[in-house]
Structures are given as structure tokens and as C-alpha cells.
Amino acid sequence: MAFGGEVSREVRVEQTMRAVVLSEPGPPERLEVRVLPVPEPGPGWVRIKVEAFGLNRSELHTRLGLAEGVTLPRVLGIEAAGTVDSDPDGVLPRGRQVVAMMGGMGRTYDGGYAEYTVVPRSQVIPFASALPWETLGALPETLQTAYGSLTTGLDLAAGQTLLIRGGTSALGLAAAALAGDLGATVLATTRSPERTGALAAHGVDHPLVDDGAIAAKVREIVPAGVDAALELVGTPTLPDTLAATRVHGTVCFTGMLSNQWIVHDFYPIGYLPSGVRLTAYAGEAADLPAGVLQRTLDRIAAGELSLGPVHVYGLDGIRDAHRDLEEGRRAGKLVVRL
């Protein structure tokens, strides 16, 4: 009872957050920063206070209306980095540093383009690092995809040659760093002659200017063809990438910088060079071991490894960030820091 005989009532003030919402496909202007209720996690789910999130081609495809299985309106974002804010099951302590990715984030449920996100615990990977959040936010999906492509997709080994088609993308730069660290010789392409120096500075052994037909250039360096190739541009360059690969070599189709991923009228005997293997990679959070994430972060912190430049935006700059992503204005990873 309160003074005067009145019954005291607990007043619950609903917590709110800022988030980027896409209501219908279209240009960057369709991305709206809105105020939404902070989501509540149920059993098996975790709420993360997002400190930074990276931008990916997946979100561009969703904005353009090219992605399948997406329901709108939706808070975009297939990855996020931050700290645990709430775990109803008590598995992860509040304040624990984590990254989250994939598993329907930003597609079938709201994703990382927000101050808070709620995700299944199976999509969460804990870590410990003093690196800046913008650096941490650039890693989850890029590292998972690069690591999975080189291991599951290509089974790359020390001493082998690797061609990366689309080398100045965030994924291309990460793959080049990991492959070089493994002991492979790396060839990587860029459409811009002025970016070959950046590739060389990043540790690429043979930067190549991509005019759409680079197989002959590759074979001037590696006459028999490369042992492995990572296709990040898409189906327009895939036949030429296959032609640059040796007999019993492997091409892994991972990226779609061209926004083209369907091979029409596919006739395998006519399309694939004899003896060249074609695989693909599309992974989940479970494909990035926590130990690999932690070792990568530790090596970056020690100055022993770099996955490429990071370009930082604020949440209100999300439209500019998407324009830069769509037009390929910046080499490296684009990150929003909250």
C-alpha cells in the first residue's frame, strides 16, 4: 500500500532501440532507421547488445529483392559482434564477448542491423579480445566463409597455388591472408589497375588485372594451371576460372559479386574442363570453430595477420554504406559501429 491508501502499481517502461528496417526491396533509400522495442529472448535464444556489424552481399541481395526465403519487413544483417545482454537459460554470462552469424539472421528473423539482436544460441561464438569493435565486427561472416572455402571447399595445402577471382573484396582479402599464412602461393584479381599495389601490399604474390579473360595470364605464371581457385565474382567468370585450373585441381564457387549465380543450360561435359573439379561453399556459424576465431583475433592483435582494410560508418550512414557496397567503391570490409 502507498501513502493515502492508494495501491502502488509497478510501471513498466518498454525499452526501445534503433534498428535498420527494410519494408520492401529497392534502392538504399528503402533502408529506414526506426525505433523498435528491444526484443526478448526465449529459451534457447540469446540477446546480444550489438557493438558493430559488417555489411555483406547477402544483405545487398535482400535489399535488391534477389534473395529467397526472406520475409519483410525485416531488420537486416546476417552477422553481429557485441556482448551477451540476456541468456534466459544462463549458459552465457551477461557481458561475454560474442559474435553471431547466419542461421536465418536478417532473413527469417531480425538480424544484426540493430542496437540489440536476438539469435539462437547455436549461432553464437564466444571469444575474448581487446581489439576495437569495428575490427571485431568485420570478422565473423568473412572469416567463416574464407576459412570454410579454403578448408571444406578447396582442401588447400601448403605449397599449392591459389587463384582468387575478386581479390579486393573483403572475402578475397581474407582468403588471401589465410592462404598465404598457410603457405600457399596466391594469385588474385582486381578490375582496377590502381588496386594491384594494394593486393601486393596485402601479401598477394601475383596481382592480376581482370579483363574477364585471365586464364592465359594465370598459365603464364603457372603453366599447368593453379591447384585451386576461389570464385567470388559469379557465373560470368566461372568458365574462365575453370580454364585457369589444372587437371585434378578444384574450383570453389563461393561468391557472387556480379549478382549472377545461375548457370543456364548447364551441360557438364561441355562446361567443365576435363578433370577439373567444381565445388561450392555456403557455411554456418558451426563451421567456424571457436578456436579458429580466437587464434585469428590473437594473431591480428599481435600484428601477425591482417584480413584487410575496414571502412567504418555510423548507423545513420547505412544508406551510404550500402551504396558503397553495391558499387564496389571500397576494397575491404564495410562495418557499422554503434
Side-chain angles (χ1 to χ4, degrees), residues 42-64:
W45 291 61
V46 176
R47 184 169 65 211
I48 298 171
K49 181 182 184 297
V50 179
E51 297 289 348
F53 60 82
L55 275 66
N56 300 279
R57 302 294 294 186
S58 174
E59 295 122 28
L60 174 60
H61 294 157
T62 298
R63 177 172 65 74
L64 295 175

Side-chain angles (χ1 to χ4, degrees), residues 307-332:
L307 300 190
V310 175
H311 307 280
V312 184
Y313 303 77
L315 194 65
D316 291 317
I318 190 65
R319 293 177 178 176
D320 289 335
H322 258 250
R323 289 189 191 96
D324 290 347
L325 177 67
E326 185 172 4
E327 297 174 16
R329 294 176 180 173
R330 296 177 180 270

Side-chain angles (χ1 to χ4, degrees), residues 7-327:
V7 177
S8 61
R9 293 174 181 159
E10 181 181 353
V11 178
R12 182 179 182 276
V13 179
E14 186 176 53
Q15 290 184 310
T16 60
M17 67 175 186
R18 300 176 76 219
V20 178
V21 178
L22 177 72
S23 295
E24 58 181 327
E29 287 70 25
R30 296 284 170 84
L31 298 171
E32 297 181 305
V33 178
R34 297 183 185 176
V35 176
L36 302 177
V38 172
E40 292 293 333
W45 291 61
V46 176
R47 184 169 65 211
I48 298 171
K49 181 182 184 297
V50 179
E51 297 289 348
F53 60 82
L55 275 66
N56 300 279
R57 302 294 294 186
S58 174
E59 295 122 28
L60 174 60
H61 294 157
T62 298
R63 177 172 65 74
L64 295 175
L66 302 176
E68 296 181 354
V70 177
T71 56
L72 299 177
R74 178 65 60 218
V75 176
L76 298 186
I78 65 169
E79 67 175 323
T83 57
V84 173
D85 186 66
S86 175
D87 181 350
D89 301 321
V91 176
L92 293 171
R94 192 170 189 270
R96 185 76 162 96
Q97 289 181 302
V98 293
V99 296
M101 72 195 85
M102 303 298 288
M105 284 183 69
R107 299 170 68 87
T108 59
Y109 58 88
D110 287 343
Y113 282 25
E115 292 177 325
Y116 293 88
T117 188
V118 168
V119 301
R121 192 181 300 106
S122 60
Q123 307 308 125
V124 177
I125 307 174
F127 68 91
S129 178
L131 287 167
W133 279 111
E134 52 266 32
T135 302
L136 299 169
L139 257 70
E141 177 57 14
T142 299
L143 177 60
Q144 180 268 124
T145 307
Y147 176 79
S149 295
L150 298 182
T151 55
T152 301
L154 291 171
D155 196 23
L156 189 69
Q160 291 188 319
T161 50
L162 170 69
L163 169 65
I164 302 174
R165 201 74 182 255
T168 58
S169 64
L171 180 52
L173 292 169
L178 295 182
D181 194 52
L182 178 66
T185 298
V186 179
L187 299 78
T189 70
T190 174
R191 293 176 299 169
S192 303
E194 61 271 17
R195 288 185 175 179
T196 56
L199 286 175
H202 188 65
V204 171
D205 300 286
H206 302 283
L208 300 171
V209 177
D210 196 340
D211 59 2
I214 54 101
K217 299 177 186 177
V218 170
R219 288 181 177 270
E220 288 177 2
I221 301 167
V222 188
V226 292
D227 299 302
L230 183 58
E231 180 58 75
L232 302 180
V233 174
T235 56
T237 56
L238 180 57
D240 188 58
T241 300
L242 288 162
T245 306
R246 68 168 174 84
V247 173
H248 299 161
T250 304
V251 176
C252 180
F253 190 101
T254 295
M256 300 166 287
L257 294 168
S258 63
N259 294 335
Q260 298 182 52
W261 53 88
I262 301 297
V263 178
H264 297 284
D265 301 320
F266 180 61
Y267 173 49
I269 293 176
Y271 191 89
L272 296 172
S274 295
V276 177
R277 298 157 179 164
L278 176 61
T279 68
Y281 179 79
E284 293 287 347
D287 297 321
L288 178 61
V292 171
L293 172 62
Q294 189 63 59
R295 284 196 300 274
T296 302
L297 293 174
D298 292 345
R299 296 201 63 208
I300 291 172
E304 299 171 354
L305 185 69
S306 170
L307 300 190
V310 175
H311 307 280
V312 184
Y313 303 77
L315 194 65
D316 291 317
I318 190 65
R319 293 177 178 176
D320 289 335
H322 258 250
R323 289 189 191 96
D324 290 347
L325 177 67
E326 185 172 4
E327 297 174 16

